[in-house]
Amino acid sequence: MWQSNDDEIKGIARDLAIYAFMTSADTRGISKFFKYVPMSLRNEIGYVDRMVNAYNMFNDKIMQLNTEGSEPSTININEFIKNNWRDNNIVREFKPGKT
């Protein structure tokens, strides 16, 4: 749909992508279809910018914590992932053989 030459069909694809993002927030599941939205459409609806901003806000908060407290506050992302490996919202399930 997104690669259609018809502007109305492209508009419907854009609306569906926005709806999919707003209802699932990019979570995985059998009834979730945002995972099938191509990156070019994700960029068009602002998803990529939103993720970059969230990443930058996270990094800024970590830097703020490191400079404010009397003790250094650091979050080692690898340790965070290791300690939250059972949370599928943080660490996605790995299925060998699937891409």
Side-chain angles (χ1 to χ4, degrees), residues 1-52:
M1 289 178 73
W2 177 241
Q3 295 179 356
S4 173
N5 293 328
D6 187 335
D7 288 339
E8 187 174 351
I9 292 174
K10 282 186 94 161
I12 292 169
R14 187 178 190 283
D15 291 345
L16 285 171
I18 292 169
Y19 172 79
F21 176 65
M22 297 303 282
T23 58
S24 71
D26 200 16
T27 57
R28 306 278 188 231
I30 195 162
S31 63
K32 313 292 189 222
F33 64 91
F34 191 72
K35 60 187 170 188
Y36 300 113
V37 174
M39 194 55 73
S40 61
L41 182 49
R42 289 177 184 216
N43 195 32
E44 170 75 22
I45 65 172
Y47 170 81
V48 174
D49 291 335
R50 181 177 293 250
M51 293 299 111
V52 168

